[in-house]
Amino acid sequence: MADTLNKIKILLGESLRTRLLILLFVLAFLTLLVMLLLQVYRAYDIAMPVGQDAARVPDLGSLPSQNDREVLVLNSYHIGYSWSDNEMAGIVDAFRQQGKRIYPVIEYLDCKRHPRMEHFERLRDLFVVKYRMKDFPVVIATDNPALEFALTYRSRLFPNASIVFCGINGFRPEMIAQADNITGVAELLDAGGTLAMALTLQPAVRAVYAVHDYTITGLATRRETEEQLKPFAGRVAIRYLMNLSTSELVDVLRNLPRDSIVLALSYSLDREGNVINHEKIARILSDNAPVPVYGLHEERLGYGIIGGRLMGGKMQGSRAAEFALRILRGEPASRIPVDILSPTRMMFDFKQLERFHIPVDRLPTGSVIVNRPVSFVSKQPVLVFTTLGMMAILIAGILALGINLYQRRIAEVEQRKLQDQLIHAQKMEAVGHLAGGIAHDFNNILTAIIGYTNLLRRKLAGDDPSRTFTDHILAASERAARLVKSLLAFSRKQVIEPMPVDLGEIVKGVEKIARTLIGEDIEFAVNLHASATVMADTGQMEQVLLNLCTNARDAMPKGGHLAIETDRVTVDDESRRQHLLDRPGTYGIIAVSDTGNGMDEGVRKQIFEPFFTTKEVGKGTGLGLSIAYGIVRQHNGTIQVYSEPGRGTTFKIYLPSIDAAGAPIAAAEAAAVRGGTETILLAEDESEVRELVAITLREAGYRVIEAVDGPDAERQFAENGSAVSLLLTDLIMPKKNGREVYEQLRLSSPSLNVLFMSGYTADIIRNKGVLDDPMLFISKPIIPDILLKKVREALDGPAGPKA
Ligand code: ADP
Ligand code: MG
């Protein structure tokens, strides 16, 4: 149990941010679920057929508990005539809501095709036969022809039935004055209301073309319309288009003036006898008239009319059915007054409004607009906004996670970089120690070789053929000595002579040589962006820059650009890591960039290692960069490389910059090699070196007293002290170091001169506090000429070191 809890805890994460995120996700998910369920419920609700849901049936009271009742419905026209189809729909819907206990028995009289009603008598005969056993309580007659039929044949066909009518054009009370048990709904087209509205929408209209046919209905609506439009007579010209063939009508329509409108009255039959339904006439009028077509029938909306105060068949039918039901419940028809003013709605077609540039906001309030494009957003706003909101939450979550991941990755990268850097530094340190150790021992051997060869050479006469052999040995030894020097430079065991110097001076110092070095195919630029004073051994730094320039040249066999630039940067504890620097501070930078071959990562990682080269045998030594590395490190600086295969390479040297100028150290002057006759006390534990040095000095005329270590030197001095002019001593010896020996001897002979020898580095020596003045130091391998020169200097110079 506790285990499971722990697992969940781990899953939920430790940080507040993670928990918040998870909470957001859960909330978003639940919201989506609820919204979806709501939508599902909604769809179900919409799909319910009308009348199936008991709770929605209006309470119209109960019918007599007899068996199912039948109502005869006489339809004037035919199925497919939308007006009367709508009337039927209104009737049937109303009956259905009564629990299917009332059945409409429907007869279509087909009077659109037979407007003269010549078939009525035959129909009567048919119905006599057909319904002889029926006794309908109510007969519904839709539209004028059916009412006429019902009134004419009532006594013969259904003498006991009440009559309910609807859709009656031009209704006048006289029409039913002779009959009893009759009521219904008149169909009054609102031509006056429609025109009034049209004129508010289009005040510039000067002519109205009213279209109607010559059927009973058509003529009836014409009469009504004339009556209703009387008040407009002064304002607009009203013309009636009638008794035309369809093609004649089209012709007239096409030539209508721009300041007119069309008003579509009843029109279902053209002069040639073609039946034209509501949709079709709306299309003919709208397609051909260059002006808006106003209508009066809801059935025409969406088929081309722009709109109007419209009356619809369904409303007529349901009103008639309502009356019929009241009669069935026992209310006498004579007590139900005829509904004279039929209900209308202001309705418009968005497409037509657009066609004639009538803005929607000019329409009267309460207008119904069809064909209006409905965006998904307005139809399902909740769903859309929840989905968008959730997507935003999810995206935010993903972003947050991404940022998290990115930060973690960066941290990992940086850690790896630092680790690599550390390993690299350690490796270089180890290689340096090894190289330094080898070089140190090798120095002693070289000292012997060079020394004895020199001695041998001096013994040979000037024309002795063996002199070429000694010269070869010396030349080879010198190369070996240079190599050892390089190794020492790399392992930081070389003496450097740092002075305050401006970066620009260093660069200028190599500019000329670099130019000749790189040849003519390579463009060379020097940019001294910033000046910075650094502590540097100019000669060493020049060597570094020349090494870099040589490499750059080798990387651009087909030419390219080489640039040396200076810069200055101040790094704090944070940014120093990016620069891979040891400590914060201000640094002077010398950058050497080329547009050459560049390096891949494998090469780049090894370039500072001694003897690593990608160049063919004889061309590269693999020491150039290791020397550069050693020198720069010895200057407390850093050398960095940026390179990509094919893109070129940039080396950057960072040197700590200084503010106050340090005291420059005087450079040694070349002096002629001279010998002497003074007595020199020589202390050196390495017998080979000691012997060589002794011989060299004696050859030059000096008297030499040899001591094998520090205590021996003190003993010998005690015996012959008064004669000794110079102490020449190895610095690092097993029992007592050279410095200590010198201090001891100076007690009794303060004017004693001294010269130290060592294969160790000057900075180690300085660290140990044994040597302050590099002037009094000679490094191994000991070259006879240099030895003699230094000895002379030591003897001739002011006695005693500057402590
Ligand atoms: P060497 O020049 O004798 O090969 P270096 O230590 O100077 O030795 O250079 C080591 C290696 O580093 C080169 O062999 C070369 O592969 C690579 N290298 C150094 N500088 C560049 C440079 N500017 N462009 C491309 N590669 C370089
Ligand atoms: Mg090189």
Side-chain angles (χ1 to χ4, degrees):
M1 181 64 192
D3 198 44
T4 325
L5 265 177
N6 259 340
K7 276 184 189 163
I8 292 172
K9 257 190 192 165
I10 290 168
L11 206 74
L12 285 181
E14 292 294 310
S15 76
L16 187 70
R17 188 157 58 165
T18 320
R19 283 184 192 180
L20 256 170
L21 259 174
I22 289 169
L23 191 74
L24 275 180
F25 274 108
V26 169
L27 274 179
F29 179 76
L30 286 180
T31 318
L32 178 67
L33 207 70
V34 168
M35 291 322 300
L36 278 177
L37 284 176
L38 275 180
Q39 291 305 317
V40 165
Y41 173 75
R42 218 178 186 185
Y44 176 75
D45 188 38
I46 289 164
M48 268 297 275
V50 179
Q52 297 267 315
D53 188 347
R56 283 164 192 281
V57 176
D59 182 16
L60 294 177
S62 56
L63 288 166
S65 60
Q66 289 180 5
N67 288 335
D68 296 336
R69 312 288 291 273
E70 287 179 318
V71 169
L72 181 64
V73 180
L74 297 175
N75 185 311
S76 296
Y77 308 121
H78 53 275
I79 286 190
Y81 185 62
S82 56
W83 164 263
S84 70
D85 282 353
N86 285 345
E87 284 176 314
M88 297 313 281
I91 292 166
V92 171
D93 269 5
F95 283 175
R96 258 203 206 126
Q97 296 193 14
Q98 292 302 305
K100 294 181 188 168
R101 281 145 81 183
I102 296 162
Y103 287 95
V105 176
I106 300 165
E107 290 290 350
Y108 287 92
L109 307 189
D110 212 9
C111 291
K112 283 291 175 200
R113 293 179 184 103
H114 303 282
R116 283 174 239 284
M117 299 177 271
E118 71 284 355
H119 59 310
F120 270 17
E121 284 195 17
R122 301 283 179 94
L123 279 178
R124 178 206 58 197
D125 295 342
L126 172 66
F127 293 168
V128 165
V129 179
K130 215 171 159 186
Y131 300 121
R132 65 183 184 280
M133 304 300 285
K134 296 272 186 210
D135 188 16
F136 296 111
V138 177
V139 171
I140 297 178
T142 69
D143 299 313
N144 297 46
L147 178 59
E148 198 172 323
F149 182 90
L151 289 174
T152 310
Y153 304 113
R154 183 183 196 176
S155 53
R156 181 87 175 81
L157 288 174
F158 29 79
N160 302 321
S162 301
I163 295 175
V164 177
F165 56 83
C166 65
I168 304 304
N169 297 109
F171 177 80
R172 280 164 288 118
E174 308 92 83
M175 287 165 85
I176 53 168
Q178 306 302 314
D180 51 8
N181 280 335
I182 184 163
T183 185
V185 198
E187 179 192 326
L188 189 66
L189 292 175
D190 196 355
T194 298
L195 181 58
M197 190 175 63
L199 289 175
T200 63
L201 292 180
Q202 295 179 263
V205 164
R206 294 287 167 265
V208 178
Y209 290 85
V211 181
H212 68 90
D213 61 12
Y214 58 91
T215 60
I216 292 178
T217 317
L219 294 168
T221 55
R222 155 101 183 244
R223 270 195 301 281
E224 269 168 34
T225 303
E226 274 176 323
E227 198 62 34
Q228 289 181 29
L229 296 193
K230 265 182 192 154
F232 299 93
R235 189 168 165 195
V236 288
I238 298 162
R239 307 226 161 74
Y240 291 90
L241 301 176
M242 72 165 291
N243 209 18
L244 300 171
S245 70
T246 301
S247 62
E248 285 167 350
L249 178 63
V250 165
D251 267 359
V252 175
L253 288 170
R254 286 194 178 151
N255 295 310
L256 288 181
R258 294 273 149 190
D259 63 352
S260 66
I261 55 170
V262 176
L263 189 60
L265 309 182
S266 237
Y267 195 100
S268 52
L269 208 64
D270 75 358
R271 201 182 60 199
E272 266 109 41
N274 302 309
V275 176
I276 296 169
N277 63 21
H278 280 298
E279 297 87 332
K280 195 169 173 194
I281 185 63
R283 283 239 164 81
I284 292 171
L285 296 174
S286 160
D287 286 355
N288 294 293
V291 294
V293 178
Y294 286 84
L296 305 170
H297 300 84
E298 201 176 314
E299 280 68 20
R300 291 176 181 166
L301 192 68
Y303 294 97
I305 64 164
I306 195 166
R309 287 186 167 272
L310 306 186
M311 192 197 51
K314 186 157 184 184
M315 224 181 265
Q316 293 271 329
S318 53
R319 188 64 61 88
E322 211 179 284
F323 287 178
L325 290 171
R326 279 164 69 179
I327 293 164
L328 286 175
R329 276 199 305 271
E331 206 173 324
S334 49
R335 295 250 193 93
I336 303 174
V338 172
D339 205 342
I340 307 251
L341 291 172
S342 34
T344 58
R345 287 194 288 176
M346 288 174 291
M347 300 177 92
F348 295 90
D349 185 338
F350 187 81
K351 280 186 193 164
Q352 297 295 326
L353 289 171
E354 254 191 342
R355 177 179 161 197
F356 295 105
H357 310 295
I358 296 174
V360 167
D361 53 26
R362 297 245 315 265
L363 303 180
T365 44
S367 298
V368 177
I369 302 168
V370 299
N371 273 339
R372 192 183 202 158
V374 204
S375 71
F376 188 70
V377 181
S378 67
K379 247 189 157 174
Q380 301 277 14
V382 182
L383 192 67
V384 167
F385 287 116
T386 350
T387 309
L388 283 181
M390 261 162 14
M391 274 162 79
I393 290 173
L394 291 178
I395 288 169
I398 288 166
L399 276 181
L401 286 177
I403 288 167
N404 221 331
L405 207 70
Y406 175 75
Q407 282 172 344
R408 215 176 285 176
R409 284 263 165 84
I410 288 290
E412 270 170 32
V413 168
E414 189 160 325
Q415 198 170 344
R416 197 173 308 155
K417 208 159 102 185
L418 290 174
Q419 224 158 25
D420 282 356
Q421 202 188 336
L422 183 67
I423 289 170
H424 185 248
Q426 282 171 340
K427 191 164 82 180
M428 296 306 276
E429 208 59 39
V431 174
H433 277 305
L434 184 68
I438 292 172
H440 180 255
D441 283 349
F442 202 61
N443 255 344
N444 287 331
I445 300 167
L446 273 180
T447 302
I449 295 172
I450 294 171
Y452 286 114
T453 311
N454 261 310
L455 288 176
L456 187 62
R457 191 172 175 275
R458 275 181 208 175
K459 289 265 185 288
L460 297 175
D463 54 354
D464 193 313
S466 300
R467 266 200 118 154
T468 44
F469 299 146
T470 55
D471 287 352
H472 276 303
I473 296 172
L474 282 174
S477 307
E478 252 155 49
R479 267 173 55 205
R482 273 206 300 277
L483 190 66
V484 168
K485 230 181 168 170
S486 297
L487 284 178
L488 282 172
F490 162 66
S491 62
R492 301 204 253 160
K493 289 184 167 52
Q494 198 187 27
V495 183
I496 63 161
E497 296 180 7
M499 291 186 274
V501 58
D502 190 82
L503 289 182
E505 293 301 315
I506 299 174
V507 173
K508 277 183 213 151
V510 293
E511 197 175 339
K512 224 174 168 183
I513 318 171
R515 224 177 259 283
T516 48
L517 186 80
I518 57 173
E520 282 172 359
D521 288 345
I522 295 169
E523 273 180 47
F524 181 49
V526 169
N527 274 314
L528 306 177
H529 297 301
S531 74
T533 307
V534 296
M535 283 300 282
D537 181 318
T538 310
Q540 301 268 25
M541 288 313 300
E542 284 177 1
Q543 190 192 340
V544 169
L545 292 183
L546 288 178
N547 286 355
L548 296 181
C549 290
T550 313
N551 284 342
R553 178 201 61 195
D554 293 348
M556 298 187 286
K558 290 179 192 137
H561 295 265
L562 170 67
I564 305 182
E565 289 155 283
T566 61
D567 209 343
R568 202 167 61 178
V569 66
T570 299
V571 295
D572 56 17
D573 211 39
E574 265 304 300
S575 57
R576 74 173 175 85
R577 286 159 168 264
Q578 287 148 26
H579 294 268
L580 302 174
L581 295 168
D582 294 335
R583 37 185 112 64
T586 300
Y587 288 82
I589 299 174
I590 304 177
V592 178
S593 320
D594 65 62
T595 55
N597 302 329
M599 303 166 233
D600 61 26
E601 204 187 328
V603 169
R604 201 171 60 227
K605 278 189 165 164
Q606 300 179 68
I607 52 173
F608 293 116
E609 288 171 20
F611 306 113
F612 174 82
T613 180
T614 58
K615 295 169 189 173
E616 53 189 271
V617 181
K619 269 209 157 176
T621 59
L623 283 174
L625 287 179
S626 22
I627 290 168
Y629 177 87
I631 291 173
V632 172
R633 292 303 282 167
Q634 209 171 346
H635 281 79
N636 298 318
T638 304
I639 181 165
Q640 285 164 24
V641 59
Y642 310 88
S643 185
E644 267 178 60
R647 290 268 178 90
T649 304
T650 296
F651 282 93
K652 274 190 181 175
I653 299 163
Y654 289 73
L655 297 173
S657 90
I658 54 164
D659 292 338
I665 300 157
E669 273 167 36
V673 179
R674 281 192 293 126
T677 55
E678 290 93 340
T679 299
I680 298 169
L681 175 56
L682 167 66
E684 165 67 68
D685 57 324
E686 195 91 32
S687 62
E688 269 188 14
V689 176
R690 191 175 62 243
E691 270 172 48
L692 167 73
V693 172
I695 291 173
T696 307
L697 291 171
R698 284 185 187 122
E699 288 285 320
Y702 295 103
R703 232 189 104 220
V704 179
I705 300 166
E706 294 180 46
V708 297
D709 56 22
D712 188 27
E714 283 172 19
R715 214 168 26 247
Q716 304 248 26
F717 189 80
E719 286 170 22
N720 310 287
S722 53
V724 174
S725 312
L726 174 74
L727 171 67
L728 175 59
T729 179
D730 193 13
L731 249 180
I732 311 296
M733 290 182 293
K735 289 175 192 160
K736 208 166 185 183
N737 76 36
R739 173 90 198 195
E740 288 162 341
V741 173
Y742 170 64
E743 295 294 343
Q744 183 65 37
L745 299 190
R746 218 166 63 139
L747 291 178
S748 54
S749 179
S751 61
L752 180 68
N753 289 306
V754 71
L755 177 62
F756 297 105
M757 305 179 283
S758 183
Y760 283 104
T761 101
D763 52 352
I764 286 179
I765 292 164
R766 261 193 221 105
N767 283 344
K768 289 187 177 167
V770 288
L771 186 72
D772 301 313
D773 188 346
M775 280 288 287
L776 302 168
F777 176 85
I778 176 165
S779 68
K780 294 175 178 179
I782 287 162
I783 313 288
D785 279 2
I786 296 173
L787 174 69
L788 292 177
K789 195 181 97 187
K790 286 261 179 184
V791 164
R792 205 53 263 158
E793 278 170 16
L795 283 167
D796 296 343
K802 300 153 207 145

